[in-house]
Amino acid sequence: MTFSLKRTLAIFQKDYKDVSKNMYVSFTVIVPLLMAFLYGMQGDMGVDMVYTVINMSLSLVGAYIQCSLIAEEKEKNTLRGLMLSPASTLEILAGKSLLTFVTTILVIVFSAMIIDYQPENIVIVGVAIALSTLFYIGLGTILGLVTKSVMEASVVIMPFFFLFTFGSYATLLAERFPVLKAAEYMPNTQLIELAKEVQTGAGFGDIWSYLAVICVWIAAVFILSYVTFKKRMMD
Amino acid sequence: MENIIEVQSLAKLFANQTALEDVSFQIKKGETFGFLGPSGSGKTTTIKILTAQMAQTDGEAYVFGRPAHLLKDPAQRGRIGVLTDNSGLYERLSIYDNLKLYCGLYNVPHSRIDEVLEMVNLKDERKKVVSKLSKGMTQRVTLARAFLHKPDLLFLDEPTSALDPVNSRHIYRGLDQLKENGTTIFLTTHDMNEAELLCDRVAFLNKGKIQLIGPPKQLRKQYADNTISVELDNGQIEVLEKGDKGAQRMYQLMSENKVVSVNSNEPTLGDIFVEITGRKLS
Ligand SMILES: Nc1ncnc2c1ncn2[C@@H]1O[C@H](COP(=O)(O)OP(=O)(O)O)[C@@H](O)[C@H]1O
Ligand SMILES: [Mg+2]
């Protein structure tokens, strides 16, 4: 299979121009930054608090914006044009994810600067956040593909937003409700646990299992979004 | 000559109805073929099957000599251009930026944008944002996009349904240009004049079945009846049968100097459609 960077970049460029005129997206990007600002004013924050902001950026920008970009392509019948063009599934999905990826990383970097988060090991945390972003983009892609309009997408994303922004707190109740132990394996919880260990001086050798779990999640959503996309190509 | 499209006993069943039944036809290279039928007769369904957006229930469909579903292969898609009622544009972007994306997807130089905009008479509007365009202009942009990459085969699903006569004529001129370059065109419409003007051959589709197929001229001759119409000086129209009786009546009218004009009664494609199906086209 061939992969044309030119086609992927053509879609990215289009999205960049389109989104810069989209008030709705601009507003969504501001929310996590605002949260970072409000949290930051309270002074010293624990890792849990910092990652509430980061996980919110991931689910709001990574998943939600991705979801609404894809849903809009469906709603306005523009996705069909991409599907009928010589662009392959991989080129289209990569092109449609690139802008969200860059935006998510930028929002997280700015949020971290606002709340003055200084990870002990920036490389590990950077890799973990980049991988997490891929997971959320995959999730947003699937949700965008199964909904019919931006409106519907905004509703469908809600439970996922709460689950991935605040769901990690469920682990606090795990002693009383063993079912909630499953929440430990959620990608958002994995990211927090990893960040906590990093703050105590852990290196790659200590935290690889967290990255592995996140990678399993990525594989799962990528396969699912590829399959869902293929299905959408046929009426 | 080479068949670009070949369809044999094609059928499509949806959950609760038959959309296509035993549809067969061939389209030769360079031909403009018209699929005529009222709304719901199965025109769009046929295009979707031929462009690999839908699978048939039964029968064969070949495009470029290969099963139509192989057009799912991205490498093959550059050879076709498609305009359907679900061809959307990016509303926040200008006409130019919309087409620029497609230049990137089809690997076409940007200089081609002005060429196609010229063909649909939108060259001066290239900077306009799509959300500000009229329905007719939007339709012309999607048309320009469909042949941006000079496809060998163009599918046009009711390309002029939102256009006024002046703009339709612009499009016809553009399509003539494509025909001259050898593009094969599969066109659906319920506009009979359009079909006569553009199509080398037409097929009448009704309730998923092809009722009649042939060149418009030949069909009109075939269905011409045995009468002529005579317009009289009092405004009345008298229909005369060809033959002795009609000739005598004609002699009488002519000698009384009552005849203003005489017309043949060749039916229009619309007339023929009504005669065959008992249904109006639109
Ligand atoms: N996805 C679908 N599911 C169920 N029925 C459909 C679907 N698409 C089209 N039909 C039905 O098939 C028939 C033919 O539709 P269509 O091909 O769109 O007709 P046309 O394009 O000639 O107006 C119609 O009766 C329509 O309701
Ligand atoms: Mg139709």
Side-chain angles (χ1 to χ4, degrees):
Chain A
M1 195 168 17
T2 57
F3 186 89
S4 153
L5 199 59
K6 191 180 172 193
R7 283 197 275 266
T8 299
L9 288 177
I11 298 173
F12 170 70
Q13 241 177 31
K14 181 273 296 174
D15 271 345
Y16 174 72
K17 258 194 195 157
D18 193 44
V19 159
S20 61
K21 290 170 190 157
N22 186 341
M23 293 301 290
Y24 192 63
V25 168
S26 320
F27 178 75
T28 309
V29 167
I30 290 172
V31 174
L33 295 173
L34 217 63
M35 280 295 287
F37 186 73
L38 291 175
Y39 275 39
M41 287 203 307
Q42 298 169 3
D44 214 17
M45 292 168 64
V47 172
D48 277 313
M49 288 273 266
V50 170
Y51 276 80
T52 302
V53 173
I54 289 179
N55 278 328
M56 176 185 278
S57 308
L58 285 167
S59 55
L60 213 52
V61 182
Y64 178 54
I65 289 187
Q66 177 69 6
C67 173
S68 63
L69 288 184
I70 301 270
E72 186 172 27
E73 294 257 12
K74 282 189 70 192
E75 185 177 356
K76 307 285 188 197
N77 280 319
T78 47
L79 193 58
R80 179 59 65 190
L82 301 181
M83 287 171 165
L84 284 169
S85 83
S88 67
T89 301
L90 227 50
E91 287 160 3
I92 297 173
L93 289 178
K96 282 306 294 178
S97 305
L98 207 49
L99 183 71
T100 313
F101 185 82
V102 173
T103 313
T104 309
I105 297 296
L106 284 178
V107 168
I108 290 175
V109 168
F110 283 126
S111 302
M113 283 163 67
I114 293 171
I115 52 188
D116 199 24
Y117 167 50
Q118 284 160 351
E120 291 296 320
N121 188 330
I122 189 102
V123 176
I124 293 180
V125 168
V127 168
I129 286 179
L131 287 176
S132 298
T133 305
L134 292 181
F135 163 77
Y136 286 91
I137 286 176
L139 176 71
T141 303
I142 295 167
L143 294 176
L145 285 171
V146 298
T147 50
K148 286 191 190 64
S149 65
V150 177
M151 206 55 175
E152 194 185 332
S154 322
V155 176
V156 168
I157 196 91
M158 275 303 153
F160 293 93
F161 169 70
F162 283 107
L163 181 66
F164 288 111
T165 304
F166 305 109
S168 56
Y169 291 110
T171 53
L172 301 178
L173 304 172
E175 285 195 3
R176 280 181 57 200
F177 307 102
V179 185
L180 295 177
K181 227 170 144 26
E184 277 176 26
Y185 291 97
M186 300 285 290
N188 51 338
T189 314
Q190 292 286 310
L191 180 63
I192 297 175
E193 293 306 318
L194 175 146
K196 280 180 182 164
E197 295 212 14
V198 165
Q199 288 314 81
T200 62
F204 262 110
D206 310 300
I207 54 81
W208 66 269
S209 66
Y210 296 110
L211 293 181
V213 173
I214 294 176
C215 284
V216 169
W217 279 100
I218 294 173
V221 290
F222 274 33
I223 290 167
L224 202 56
S225 57
Y226 189 86
V227 171
T228 314
F229 185 89
K230 283 282 188 192
K231 270 204 180 134
R232 291 287 164 224
M233 290 177 77
M234 297 290 276
D235 265 353
Chain B
M1 231 206 293
E2 188 188 345
N3 279 337
I4 295 289
I5 293 181
E6 201 162 337
V7 171
Q8 268 304 325
S9 314
L10 195 66
K12 177 71 189 180
L13 301 172
F14 287 114
N16 49 359
Q17 78 189 102
T18 308
L20 291 174
E21 199 179 336
D22 196 20
V23 168
S24 302
F25 61 88
Q26 292 89 35
I27 303 179
K28 290 191 177 8
K29 190 171 186 313
E31 204 175 17
T32 297
F33 185 82
F35 228 39
L36 307 184
S39 174
S41 54
K43 304 184 295 293
T44 302
T45 302
T46 307
I47 287 190
K48 281 188 176 165
I49 292 171
L50 288 173
T51 53
Q53 298 180 58
M54 195 183 262
Q56 67 262 45
T57 314
D58 205 2
E60 318 285 337
Y62 293 94
V63 178
F64 302 128
R66 308 169 68 208
H69 70 85
L70 292 180
L71 284 171
K72 265 184 277 190
D73 176 6
Q76 297 297 319
R77 286 189 219 131
R79 294 186 70 186
I80 61 166
V82 186
L83 164 75
T84 63
D85 51 3
N86 67 7
S87 305
L89 296 169
Y90 297 97
E91 291 175 3
R92 294 183 208 95
L93 300 182
S94 66
I95 294 177
Y96 187 86
D97 283 336
N98 267 278
L99 294 177
K100 202 171 117 193
L101 165 66
Y102 278 79
C103 284
L105 295 177
Y106 286 90
N107 203 11
V108 169
H110 292 169
S111 57
R112 174 76 178 146
I113 296 177
D114 277 343
E115 276 175 45
V116 293
L117 287 181
E118 179 85 58
M119 285 168 77
V120 296
N121 197 26
L122 281 174
K123 205 172 168 189
D124 299 332
E125 312 338 285
R126 63 215 282 276
K127 290 268 177 277
K128 271 205 179 139
V129 174
V130 167
S131 62
K132 301 261 161 67
L133 301 180
S134 68
K135 222 176 155 210
M137 282 164 112
T138 308
Q139 200 164 19
R140 279 185 282 157
V141 181
T142 50
L143 184 67
R145 193 184 77 188
F147 56 70
L148 182 74
H149 56 292
K150 301 186 180 166
D152 298 328
L153 171 60
L154 191 56
F155 292 92
L156 302 175
D157 197 359
E158 310 204 12
T160 56
S161 60
L163 300 184
D164 57 56
V166 175
N167 277 316
S168 293
R169 235 167 289 145
H170 253 288
I171 302 257
Y172 299 156
R173 231 173 295 152
L175 292 182
D176 276 339
Q177 230 170 303
L178 291 175
K179 279 176 80 167
E180 276 164 32
N181 294 333
T183 311
T184 309
I185 302 175
F186 182 101
L187 173 100
T188 78
T189 182
H190 51 239
D191 182 336
M192 286 298 158
N193 296 328
E194 182 170 300
E196 292 227 43
L197 209 63
L198 295 175
C199 299
D200 302 313
R201 277 190 311 137
V202 295
F204 286 170
L205 194 67
N206 189 35
K207 295 179 183 163
K209 284 189 195 161
I210 290 188
Q211 309 284 347
L212 191 66
I213 195 163
K217 265 205 182 119
Q218 189 190 311
L219 295 182
R220 283 215 319 268
K221 240 185 231 153
Q222 191 181 327
Y223 279 81
D225 62 7
N226 205 24
T227 63
I228 55 169
S229 293
V230 181
E231 186 186 355
L232 306 179
D233 56 0
N234 61 3
Q236 275 186 338
I237 298 211
E238 205 170 314
V239 177
L240 301 183
E241 247 175 67
K242 292 174 186 165
D244 277 354
K245 239 173 119 187
Q248 275 165 28
R249 177 67 179 147
M250 189 66 171
Y251 180 82
Q252 187 190 351
L253 290 171
M254 290 282 270
S255 45
E256 287 167 12
N257 205 13
K258 282 184 176 162
V259 176
V260 177
S261 70
V262 180
N263 287 300
S264 73
N265 276 341
E266 242 181 42
T268 64
L269 289 182
D271 296 335
I272 300 174
F273 193 88
V274 173
E275 188 176 330
I276 290 177
T277 65
R279 257 175 108 172
K280 271 215 152 52
L281 254 175
S282 47

